[in-house]
């Protein structure tokens, strides 16, 4: 029938027509630039642009996660609270495709912001500390060889996967189930910030089943450091597998809820 | 009569153990304007929500052009344009972008078509302003625009005159009748503005407590010549008139007398009264307005 990409285009139009989105972008750019300026002024021992860039990208990803959670939460709940869901769902498209278009637009938002984050920090840190190809020794303590680019970009990619598989999808789920943007933002960010604490507590438990909680497996970047002297409890495939199982369950609940529900708003 | 384009058969909705719609059966025909009347809370909006697939049916079936809204939703809904309750739009987008949004969801709507409907609903001056700056009536007009943009064969409007000014109401009424008569679109309008319905509809259904309690044809050309209706005669001596018209079962009222008869007989009665020396100040048929009929059948109850 119609062209599915038109639905995604609609969702993108709704996201990027709002001032809110560009305020988030502004906040991210200002914070990253300010961080580089502070380092430039206060720290004389900077080895290369890559050390600053790497830590900025790492913390910037947290910020992008928060922003993506806000977009994901509003994507479904916002349509309910404004009542526009009624006019959206009486079109020749199944509910599942409409939900999918929303989900895709959320993923695109995260990718877009992460790309801007990387380009922005690359440009400013290059200008401040000199563009260089860098070496891995500056970033990791091991004497591993390899490209800095691939190290930083893999870190970014793994953080992206981890955030999409857990926090953002949980926010999308809660937004669909409770139809309340505030509740889903609050709860999913709470889970994100608590996950390290919970993981810390759970690692004290000496039972094999503790490994099957997503908190225990959501830190994928740990697998980046794999010198001869580093040992991991599990492989990255194990962690990804656990996260994927949760992911499928989260999505199944989201879609099931959205498709069966009577629209009474 | 032609094949019905929309059929509701035994449509029932229960939420919890409350029955909100109770075995509702309706047939709508191509090109008719069908009024859906009922007091507040009688189930008009709920019925409309089921017709457009926003709510599931507990029992029964709804088909639109032969497609079941439950089993082949996409085919059925393609034929439908609707406003459900208030015309809520994306407030942070312009009216035009709102229309573009819905246009993208149905293949084949051109920019020209969008401009055409914008002109039709009279929004061309404000269409590029954000919807949050619109008045209720302007939003209602935008709602109508998105509903007719893809040339549906069934137009469902839930209280469309809500918020419109008299000119807007008149325009909408004329436009809906035009759509029905010249393009063969079926229009389903709910309202509690009874006088409105009378001017606009070919048929009306009245529901109360989710049940269909009456369905009747409204004649747009006034009552037929030989139809019997209630005539009122204003006379100076009602009791004498009553005696004269003994075989007509007339009754005395404040102004004179009242009886059921047709046009010709009424004229003849007038002559009788005058020739008997009574003064007849006037006589006229009393056509019950839909409003009176509505209050009669619903027992004047306000909330169902
Ligand atoms: N989600 C719901 N849960 C329970 N009851 C509901 C729900 N939605 C509506 N109702 C009930 O269903 C009945 C019909 O409501 P509906 O909105 O269809 O009435 P209506 O005829 O459109 O009224 P109005 O003229 O006020 O618009 C009401 O008694 C209402 O309380
Ligand atoms: Mg209603």
């Amino acid at each position: 029938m119609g062209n599915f990409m038109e639905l995604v285009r609609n969702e993108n139009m709704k996201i990027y027509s709002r001032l809110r989105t560009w305020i988030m972008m502004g906040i991210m750019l200002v914070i990253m630039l300010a961080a580089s300026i502070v380092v430039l002024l206060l720290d004389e021992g900077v080895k290369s642009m890559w050390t600053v860039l790497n830590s900025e990208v790492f913390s910037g990803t947290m910020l992008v996660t928060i922003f993506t959670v806000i977009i994901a939460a509003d994507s479904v709940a916002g349509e309910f609270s404004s009542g526009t869901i009624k006019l959206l769902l009486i079109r020749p498209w199944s509910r599942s495709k409409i939900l999918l278009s929303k989900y895709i637009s959320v993923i695109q938002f995260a990718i877009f912001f992460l790309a801007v984050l990387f380009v922005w920090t690359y440009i400013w840190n290059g200008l401040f500390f000199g563009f260089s190809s860098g070496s891995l020794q500056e970033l990791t303590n091991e004497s591993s060889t390899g490209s800095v680019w691939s190290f930083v970009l893999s870190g970014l990619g793994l953080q992206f996967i981890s955030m999409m598989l857990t926090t953002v999808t949980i926010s999308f789920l809660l937004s669909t189930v409770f139809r309340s943007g505030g509740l889903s933002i609050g709860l999913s960010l709470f889970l994100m910030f608590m996950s390290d604490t919970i993981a810390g507590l759970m690692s004290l438990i000496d039972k094999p089943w503790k490994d099957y909680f997503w908190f225990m497996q959501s830190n994928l970047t740990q697998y980046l450091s794999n010198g001869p002297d580093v040992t991991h409890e599990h492989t990255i495939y194990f962690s990804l597998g656990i996260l994927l199982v949760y992911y499928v369950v989260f999505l199944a609940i989201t879609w099931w809820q959205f498709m069966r529900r009577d629209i009474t708003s | 009569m032609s094949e019905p384009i929309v059929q509701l058969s035994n449509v029932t909705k229960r939420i919890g153990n409350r029955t909100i719609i109770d075995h509702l059966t309706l047939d709508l025909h191509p090109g008719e304007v069908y009024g859906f009347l009922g007091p507040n809370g009688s189930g008009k909006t709920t019925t409309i929500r089921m017709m457009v697939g926003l709510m599931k049916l507990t029992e029964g079936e709804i088909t639109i052009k032969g497609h079941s809204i439950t089993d082949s939703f996409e085919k059925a809904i393609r034929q439908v344009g609707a406003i459900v309750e208030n015309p809520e739009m994306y407030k942070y987008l312009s009216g035009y972008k709102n229309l573009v949004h819905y246009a993208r969801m149905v293949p084949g709507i051109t920019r020209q078509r969008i401009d055409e409907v914008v002109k039709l609903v009279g929004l061309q001056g404000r269409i590029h302003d954000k919807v949050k700056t619109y008045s209720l009536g302007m939003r209602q007009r935008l709602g109508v625009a998105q509903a007719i943009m893809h040339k549906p064969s069934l137009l469902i409007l839930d209280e469309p005159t809500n918020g419109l000014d008299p000119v807007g109401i008149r325009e909408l009424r004329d436009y809906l009748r035009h759509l029905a008569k010249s393009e063969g679109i079926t229009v389903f309008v709910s309202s509690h503005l009874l006088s409105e319905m009378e001017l606009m509809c070919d048929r009306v259904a009245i529901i109360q407590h989710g049940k269909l309690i009456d369905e009747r044809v409204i004649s747009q050309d006034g009552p037929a010549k030989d139809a019997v209706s209630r005539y009122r005669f204003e006379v100076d001596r009602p009791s004498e008139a009553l005696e004269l018209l003994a075989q007509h079962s007339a009754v005395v009222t404040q102004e004179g007398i009242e009886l059921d008869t047709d046009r010709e007989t009424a004229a003849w009665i007038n002559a009788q009264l005058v020739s008997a020396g009574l003064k007849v100040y006037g006589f006229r048929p009393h056509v019950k307005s839909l409003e009176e009929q509505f209050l009669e059948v619903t027992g004047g109850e306000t909330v169902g």
Side-chain angles (χ1 to χ4, degrees), chain A residues 6 9-10 14 17-18 79 82 84 86-87 89 91-93 95 259-260 262-265, chain B residues 13 49 52-56 73-74 77 82 84 88-90 92-93 97 101-102 104-105 146:
Chain A
E6 293 288 292
R9 237 177 119 192
N10 272 343
K14 286 182 261 183
S17 298
R18 302 193 73 169
E79 300 267 4
S82 69
T84 46
K86 291 178 296 193
L87 289 185
L89 293 186
R91 311 287 148 182
W93 285 98
R95 288 193 190 183
M259 289 175 63
R260 67 181 272 274
D262 276 352
I263 310 296
T264 55
S265 69
Chain B
K13 181 72 188 178
R49 282 180 198 275
V52 297
L54 291 175
M55 274 186 162
K56 303 224 156 38
F73 170 76
E74 284 144 81
I77 203 73
V84 185
E88 285 115 343
M89 298 284 171
Y90 301 102
Y92 49 88
L93 296 178
K97 285 229 172 119
H101 176 272
Y102 297 118
R104 281 183 189 147
M105 302 185 79
Q146 64 76 32

Side-chain angles (χ1 to χ4, degrees), chain A residues 264, chain B residues 15 18 20 39-46 85 159 192 304:
Chain A
T264 55
Chain B
I15 298 183
R18 272 195 63 196
I20 292 172
N40 290 133
S42 53
K44 300 182 295 294
T45 302
T46 306
E85 241 160 17
E159 303 189 31
H192 13 65

Side-chain angles (χ1 to χ4, degrees), chain A residues 36-51:
Chain A
S36 295
I37 292 175
V38 168
V39 176
L40 180 68
L41 297 180
L42 299 182
D43 188 351
E44 263 124 52
V46 175
K47 288 186 199 132
S48 87
M49 63 176 284
W50 289 99
T51 48

Side-chain angles (χ1 to χ4, degrees), chain B residues 12-43:
Chain B
T12 300
K13 181 72 188 178
R14 273 189 287 273
I15 298 183
N17 49 18
R18 272 195 63 196
T19 304
I20 292 172
I21 302 295
D22 195 0
H23 294 92
L24 187 65
T25 299
L26 299 174
D27 282 353
L28 313 191
H29 298 278
E32 80 172 332
V33 182
Y34 193 93
F36 198 48
L37 278 177
N40 290 133
S42 53

Side-chain angles (χ1 to χ4, degrees), chain A:
Chain A
M1 239 183 145
N3 180 356
F4 176 74
M5 286 323 285
E6 293 288 292
L7 297 190
V8 181
R9 237 177 119 192
N10 272 343
E11 295 309 319
N12 283 333
M13 174 172 80
K14 286 182 261 183
I15 293 174
Y16 300 107
S17 298
R18 302 193 73 169
L19 182 60
R20 183 177 75 179
T21 305
W22 300 105
I23 291 176
M24 291 181 201
M25 175 68 84
I27 290 174
M28 179 177 83
L29 299 182
V30 167
I31 289 181
M32 291 306 132
L33 179 58
S36 295
I37 292 175
V38 168
V39 176
L40 180 68
L41 297 180
L42 299 182
D43 188 351
E44 263 124 52
V46 175
K47 288 186 199 132
S48 87
M49 63 176 284
W50 289 99
T51 48
V52 189
L53 184 144
N54 191 44
S55 54
E56 278 180 8
V57 164
F58 184 81
S59 48
T61 309
M62 299 284 273
L63 198 59
V64 174
T65 308
I66 295 172
F67 292 158
T68 312
V69 159
I70 294 172
I71 297 293
D74 190 59
S75 184
V76 179
E79 300 267 4
F80 278 97
S81 59
S82 69
T84 46
I85 188 79
K86 291 178 296 193
L87 289 185
L88 183 67
L89 293 186
I90 57 167
R91 311 287 148 182
W93 285 98
S94 64
R95 288 193 190 183
S96 59
K97 291 208 180 101
I98 289 185
L99 194 61
L100 181 65
S101 71
K102 287 188 167 294
Y103 191 68
I104 289 176
S105 73
V106 170
I107 299 176
Q108 287 180 344
F109 174 89
I111 293 175
F112 172 52
F113 266 53
L114 288 177
V116 171
L117 171 73
F118 183 82
V119 171
W120 181 257
T121 50
Y122 181 81
I123 291 173
W124 285 106
N125 290 315
L127 290 173
F128 289 163
F129 308 107
F131 290 99
S132 72
S133 49
S135 71
L136 259 190
Q137 279 81 2
E138 301 161 2
L139 298 180
T140 57
N141 296 323
E142 323 108 41
S143 54
S144 43
T145 55
S147 130
V148 181
W149 279 90
S150 82
F151 179 84
V152 173
L153 289 180
S154 324
L156 191 62
L158 288 176
Q159 263 185 293
F160 167 72
I161 289 171
S162 161
M163 108 196 198
M164 284 314 307
L165 290 183
T166 59
T167 313
V168 171
T169 299
I170 290 172
S171 167
F172 197 70
L173 162 78
L174 295 173
S175 160
T176 306
V177 174
F178 296 113
R179 287 169 289 174
S180 156
L183 184 68
S184 73
I185 293 171
L187 213 53
S188 48
L189 288 183
F190 174 78
L191 283 173
M192 176 178 90
F193 289 118
M194 289 303 287
S195 73
D196 281 348
T197 314
I198 297 173
L201 286 174
M202 293 205 34
S203 60
L204 301 176
I205 307 173
D206 190 24
K207 290 277 190 306
W209 47 255
K210 72 169 197 289
D211 290 336
Y212 298 103
F213 285 91
W214 85 77
F215 311 104
M216 304 299 293
Q217 308 299 339
S218 57
N219 178 13
L220 295 176
T221 46
Q222 58 173 311
Y223 298 109
L224 276 180
S225 42
N226 49 3
D229 45 337
V230 190
T231 55
H232 297 295
E233 221 176 316
H234 303 287
T235 65
I236 187 166
Y237 302 109
F238 177 82
S239 293
L240 271 177
I242 298 289
L243 292 183
L244 267 176
V245 170
Y246 278 99
Y247 180 68
V248 169
V249 171
F250 292 153
L251 286 186
I253 297 172
T254 311
W255 256 258
W256 171 66
Q257 275 294 313
F258 191 70
M259 289 175 63
R260 67 181 272 274
R261 167 153 281 162
D262 276 352
I263 310 296
T264 55
S265 69

Side-chain angles (χ1 to χ4, degrees), chain B:
Chain B
M1 202 152 200
S2 50
E3 277 284 290
I5 178 173
V6 181
Q7 287 183 295
L8 280 76
S9 38
N10 281 314
V11 172
T12 300
K13 181 72 188 178
R14 273 189 287 273
I15 298 183
N17 49 18
R18 272 195 63 196
T19 304
I20 292 172
I21 302 295
D22 195 0
H23 294 92
L24 187 65
T25 299
L26 299 174
D27 282 353
L28 313 191
H29 298 278
E32 80 172 332
V33 182
Y34 193 93
F36 198 48
L37 278 177
N40 290 133
S42 53
K44 300 182 295 294
T45 302
T46 306
T47 306
I48 289 176
R49 282 180 198 275
M50 289 192 284
M51 288 173 77
V52 297
L54 291 175
M55 274 186 162
K56 303 224 156 38
L57 286 70
T58 311
E59 261 174 54
E61 197 184 27
I62 296 176
T63 58
I64 297 167
K65 272 204 162 173
H67 304 292
S68 156
I69 195 76
T70 322
D71 302 330
S72 45
F73 170 76
E74 284 144 81
K75 284 202 182 109
I77 203 73
R78 174 66 187 84
Q79 311 295 331
V80 181
I83 302 180
V84 185
E85 241 160 17
N86 306 310
E88 285 115 343
M89 298 284 171
Y90 301 102
K91 292 205 168 72
Y92 49 88
L93 296 178
S94 67
Y96 192 78
K97 285 229 172 119
N98 268 282
L99 293 181
V100 167
H101 176 272
Y102 297 118
R104 281 183 189 147
M105 302 185 79
V106 181
I109 301 180
T110 58
R111 295 272 155 162
Q112 286 94 301
R113 175 64 185 158
I114 299 179
D115 294 340
E116 197 179 299
V117 291
V118 167
K119 220 173 263 148
L120 220 135
V121 298
L123 273 180
Q124 59 273 48
R126 296 288 303 277
I127 196 66
H128 292 288
D129 293 354
K130 293 235 158 94
V131 170
K132 63 172 159 237
T133 68
Y134 283 16
S135 68
L136 175 59
M138 290 165 70
R139 267 182 275 149
Q140 196 70 259
R141 285 160 189 256
L142 191 60
V144 172
Q146 64 76 32
I148 59 177
M149 193 164 52
H150 54 293
K151 303 196 168 152
S153 10
L154 169 67
L155 187 58
I156 300 176
L157 303 172
D158 196 4
E159 303 189 31
T161 51
N162 184 15
L164 289 184
D165 56 23
V167 178
I169 292 180
R170 206 209 149 86
E171 281 172 6
L172 180 71
R173 190 170 70 216
D174 293 347
Y175 182 62
L176 292 184
R177 287 208 67 78
H178 163 78
L179 276 182
K181 299 311 150 204
S182 63
E183 310 206 1
I185 293 177
T186 306
V187 182
F188 185 85
V189 240
S190 85
S191 175
H192 13 65
L193 276 181
L194 311 155
S195 44
E196 264 310 309
M197 292 264 125
E198 207 160 16
L199 289 170
M200 170 154 73
C201 300
D202 300 309
R203 279 198 298 160
V204 291
I206 300 177
I207 64 161
Q208 189 179 27
H209 302 304
K211 283 200 189 89
L212 184 69
I213 53 174
D214 199 17
E215 192 180 42
R216 60 184 67 183
V217 175
I218 309 254
S219 168
Q220 292 291 336
D221 331 308
K225 284 219 169 75
D226 56 352
V228 172
S229 50
R230 193 127 188 110
Y231 274 78
R232 279 183 187 160
F233 287 83
E234 241 180 277
V235 292
D236 57 347
R237 282 160 298 168
S239 45
E240 269 180 52
L242 203 61
E243 270 170 46
L244 256 166
L245 304 169
Q247 79 271 40
H248 283 282
S249 69
V251 292
V252 177
T253 64
Q254 280 172 331
E255 306 157 8
I257 58 163
E258 251 185 52
L259 69 157
D260 289 326
T261 185
D262 61 61
R263 221 166 111 95
E264 287 301 318
T265 322
W268 182 82
I269 289 172
N270 179 45
Q272 293 281 296
L273 293 174
V274 174
S275 59
L278 277 81
K279 283 184 183 158
V280 180
Y281 302 110
F283 73 97
R284 62 194 150 85
H286 171 67
V287 184
K288 270 191 213 157
S289 72
L290 194 55
E291 180 145 358
E292 282 168 274
Q293 297 179 23
F294 177 75
L295 292 174
E296 221 170 77
V297 288
T298 62
E301 223 178 299
T302 47
V303 172

